[in-house]
Amino acid sequence: MSGQDATVTAHYTRGDLKTRLLDLLREAGKDPDRLTTADLAPVDEFHIRGREATEELIQATGFVADDHILDVGSGIGGPARHLAEAVGCRVTGVDLTPAFCEAATMLAARVGLADRVTYRAANALDMPFADGAFDGAWTQHVAMNIADKAALYREIRRVLKAGAVFALYDVMLGPAGDPHYPVPWAAEPGISFLETPDRVRSLVTEAGFEIVDSWDRSPEGLAWFEAAAAQAGKAGPPPLSLAALLGAEFRDMARNMRRNLAEQRIALVALTARAA
C-alpha cells in the first residue's frame, strides 16, 4: 500500500467499527439479530442525500436482476445492499479500507444478503477482476480521495463489458475556490483531489465511455445539510448517523460541507455513461 493510500485508510479507520455499529444499532432501538436494510440507512449511505441519491442512481442506470454490478468504493456496503435488494442483482463492492469491508460483510449477513453481495479490500486503480467481468458499475463519493482519476475511470472501463452502464455521484470542485477543511473525505487538503465537473466528464469520455446524462444536485445537497442541521438543533444528533464512521470530527465536517455548498466551493454532480 502506498503512503497516500495508507493515509486515506487511516482517515477512515477508527477503532473496532463492527462492535461500534452493533452498539449504536442497539442504542437506536434496533435488534442486531433482526436487521433490515432500512434499519441501516442512516449510517450506511456514506454520501450526501443518502438513500435518496442511491435510489436516483438505480433509476438512472436501469440495472436489472441478471446483472452483476461493481460498486467502487463501497464503504460499509449500504448502496450495494440496497441495490441487490431493490433490483435482485448480484453486487461486488471494493474499498481501500479493510475495516469497511469487514463491517460491510457482517451487515450483509445480518440482513440476509450474503449470497448476493460480497466485499473485497482492493485499490480501485488496480482491481482484482478480469477484463469485462461486470455488467455495470457505479461509484458514489469516492473519487475525491483519488488523484489519478484518469486511471480510475480506465480501470472501471477495463472490468466492464461493452455497452455496460457506469454511473458516478461525486463531490467536485466548484467555481469559488478551494473548500474549507475538514470535510468527510479529508481532514486536510493533502488527501483531497477535486476536479471540476467538466474535467470529470472529459476524463470519463477519454477512458472509453460515452456520456448519457449528467445532472447537478448541489441545491438538493445544501437543502439536505440544512434539514439535518435543523433536526439536530431541535432533538440533538441521532444515535445512528455518519458520526459513527467519522467520530467527533463529523460535526465540523458537516458544517464545512454545508458552507462549501453554500459558497459554491464544491459541486454535487452525478452522471451516467455507457462503455463504448
Side-chain angles (χ1 to χ4, degrees), residues 212-235:
V212 175
D213 196 9
S214 179
W215 58 99
D216 188 298
R217 287 292 181 263
S218 302
E220 290 85 351
L222 179 58
W224 185 81
F225 274 110
E226 290 176 343
Q231 179 62 32
K234 292 178 181 178

Side-chain angles (χ1 to χ4, degrees), residues 2-15:
S2 70
Q4 185 178 95
D5 287 350
T7 302
V8 172
T9 298
H11 173 74
Y12 292 110
T13 303
R14 288 169 167 78

Side-chain angles (χ1 to χ4, degrees), residues 9-100:
T9 298
H11 173 74
Y12 292 110
T13 303
R14 288 169 167 78
D16 185 346
L17 179 58
K18 291 190 291 184
T19 298
R20 186 161 73 252
L21 285 171
L22 293 177
D23 288 345
L24 289 169
L25 283 162
R26 294 185 185 96
E27 186 179 343
K30 310 297 182 182
D31 182 348
D33 296 321
R34 298 175 182 272
L35 289 177
T36 68
T37 55
D39 291 334
L40 301 174
V43 70
D44 69 358
E45 300 273 356
F46 194 12
H47 50 259
I48 301 168
R49 297 173 56 238
R51 179 62 53 86
E52 179 184 13
T54 298
E55 287 281 4
E56 191 171 80
L57 275 197
I58 290 174
Q59 295 301 315
T61 57
F63 294 149
V64 298
D66 291 337
D67 287 339
H68 185 189
I69 305 301
L70 175 65
D71 182 352
V72 182
S74 49
I76 65 169
R81 287 188 293 272
H82 183 59
L83 175 61
E85 185 175 65
V87 174
C89 58
R90 289 188 298 138
V91 186
T92 294
V94 295
D95 201 279
L96 188 64
T97 304
F100 280 3

Side-chain angles (χ1 to χ4, degrees), residues 98-113:
F100 280 3
C101 295
E102 293 166 7
T105 299
M106 175 197 71
L107 294 172
R110 286 179 178 271
V111 298
L113 288 171

Side-chain angles (χ1 to χ4, degrees), residues 59-219:
Q59 295 301 315
T61 57
F63 294 149
V64 298
D66 291 337
D67 287 339
H68 185 189
I69 305 301
L70 175 65
D71 182 352
V72 182
S74 49
I76 65 169
R81 287 188 293 272
H82 183 59
L83 175 61
E85 185 175 65
V87 174
C89 58
R90 289 188 298 138
V91 186
T92 294
V94 295
D95 201 279
L96 188 64
T97 304
F100 280 3
C101 295
E102 293 166 7
T105 299
M106 175 197 71
L107 294 172
R110 286 179 178 271
V111 298
L113 288 171
D115 59 333
R116 277 192 279 155
V117 185
T118 57
Y119 303 94
R120 296 182 66 172
N123 189 318
L125 303 185
D126 184 20
M127 293 186 283
F129 307 119
D131 295 358
F134 295 94
D135 301 297
W138 72 14
T139 182
Q140 299 192 67
H141 284 33
V142 173
M144 303 95 70
N145 285 128
I146 298 175
D148 193 350
K149 290 178 178 52
L152 169 66
Y153 302 135
R154 287 196 303 267
E155 180 68 353
I156 292 172
R157 173 62 189 91
R158 180 187 69 79
V159 301
L160 289 180
K161 298 173 182 176
V165 172
F166 166 52
L168 66 81
Y169 171 57
D170 272 325
V171 178
M172 302 183 191
L173 187 64
D178 293 335
H180 303 288
Y181 293 91
V183 288
W185 69 90
E188 43 77 27
I191 56 171
S192 178
F193 308 100
L194 300 186
E195 294 283 1
T196 65
D198 284 346
R199 179 59 177 157
V200 169
R201 285 187 282 264
S202 293
L203 291 172
V204 170
T205 300
E206 292 165 8
F209 293 96
E210 299 175 355
I211 303 293
V212 175
D213 196 9
S214 179
W215 58 99
D216 188 298
R217 287 292 181 263
S218 302

